[in-house]
Amino acid sequence: MKAVFKIDDANPRQVEVDFNSVIVAGWAGRDMAAIEHHIEELAAIGVPRPSSVPLYYRIAENQLTQATNVQALGVESSGEVETFVFAVDGEMYVSIASDHTDRKLETVSVAMSKQVCVKPVATEAWRLADVAAHWDELIIRSYIVENGEKVLYQEGPLSTLRTPQDLIAGYTGGAALLPQGAGMTCGTVGAIGGIRAAADFTMELFDPRLQRTLRHSYHVESLPVVA
């Protein structure tokens, strides 16, 4: 899947990436108590415990999309905001993506529930080097629309999650850089009020130090479930 990102820094430009590998890093919290909370949050809707933490799920590269209108089977899927890292010409970048997941299928197989849903990713990115020194201060958040109103769904600092460098090293066996063409989501924070489906999802990565935000919204069209 080919993606184009606008790079927001002192030298505005675009970079193109032909993704051939997409990895979702699950159970990526630094605090085991927080991980356990998320495990229990998912267990409440029937999701089995992970075999290890963190856990790396491979996703088909054609599931990555920068579209603002996507489709999903049925009405039981929902988004999760995550940072998304990738490399271009030896330089690491960070954007945001949604680990959109089929919550009904998740009770059967987490890997399958992630694979069947597209993974929306933003169209803007930052150089990882520009935020690495204050990474823990960055905040991810998301909003959903319920009963016609925009509601805060997730919010938390990246200090609660493993760093991209840690997750990349765990996946590659020690390398500090993802191979070109690979993209990785780096974990999420808990849902405020519990995990639930929504047709409209907005995700953000906020940098309080540099006062800037990456943002992406998408709408989910629910396809009919027929037998």
Side-chain angles (χ1 to χ4, degrees), residues 45 47 72-79 99-107 113 116-117 153 195-199 220-223 225:
I45 60 173
V47 180
L73 185 64
V75 296
E76 298 187 65
S77 64
S78 64
D99 179 17
H100 203 87
T101 300
D102 185 310
R103 300 303 175 185
K104 185 174 183 179
L105 184 56
E106 194 173 31
T107 65
S113 71
V116 300
C117 292
Y153 183 62
I195 295 170
R196 54 205 187 275
V220 183
E221 177 191 357
S222 296
L223 303 179
V225 179

Side-chain angles (χ1 to χ4, degrees), residues 3 20 26 31 36 89 92 116 149 168 199:
N20 54 37
D31 184 344
E36 184 62 29
D89 297 331
M92 289 290 297
V116 300
E149 295 189 3
I168 291 169

Side-chain angles (χ1 to χ4, degrees), residues 32-147:
M32 286 305 298
I35 294 176
E36 184 62 29
H37 172 75
H38 191 46
I39 290 173
E40 291 176 357
E41 182 179 52
L42 292 173
I45 60 173
V47 180
R49 298 180 68 87
S51 56
S52 62
V53 293
L55 201 57
Y56 298 94
Y57 301 94
R58 284 291 304 275
I59 306 297
E61 54 87 11
N62 59 357
Q63 292 295 74
L64 201 65
T65 179
Q66 292 182 307
T68 55
N69 289 284
V70 302
Q71 296 174 319
L73 185 64
V75 296
E76 298 187 65
S77 64
S78 64
E80 289 186 345
V81 59
E82 309 202 9
T83 57
F84 178 77
V85 294
F86 58 94
V88 177
D89 297 331
E91 177 85 65
M92 289 290 297
Y93 294 88
V94 58
S95 186
I96 47 171
S98 175
D99 179 17
H100 203 87
T101 300
D102 185 310
R103 300 303 175 185
K104 185 174 183 179
L105 184 56
E106 194 173 31
T107 65
V108 178
S109 168
V110 175
M112 289 179 64
S113 71
K114 295 182 179 299
Q115 173 58 42
V116 300
C117 292
V118 296
K119 306 301 182 193
V121 62
T123 57
E124 295 184 307
W126 300 329
R127 291 175 64 244
L128 185 58
D130 290 342
V131 295
H134 60 282
W135 179 263
D136 286 359
E137 298 176 29
L138 304 185
I139 296 170
I140 51 173
R141 62 170 68 100
S142 68
Y143 300 86
I144 59 175
V145 175
E146 289 184 314
N147 301 317

Side-chain angles (χ1 to χ4, degrees), residues 164-184:
Q165 295 87 346
D166 185 18
L167 291 170
I168 291 169
Y171 179 74
T172 62
L177 191 71
L178 280 173
Q180 182 137 339
M184 177 183 286

Side-chain angles (χ1 to χ4, degrees), residues 172-210:
T172 62
L177 191 71
L178 280 173
Q180 182 137 339
M184 177 183 286
T185 68
C186 300
T188 193
V189 293
I192 300 167
I195 295 170
R196 54 205 187 275
D200 293 284
F201 192 81
T202 297
M203 52 186 172
E204 297 179 351
L205 176 62
F206 174 58
D207 182 346
R209 181 81 65 92
L210 300 179

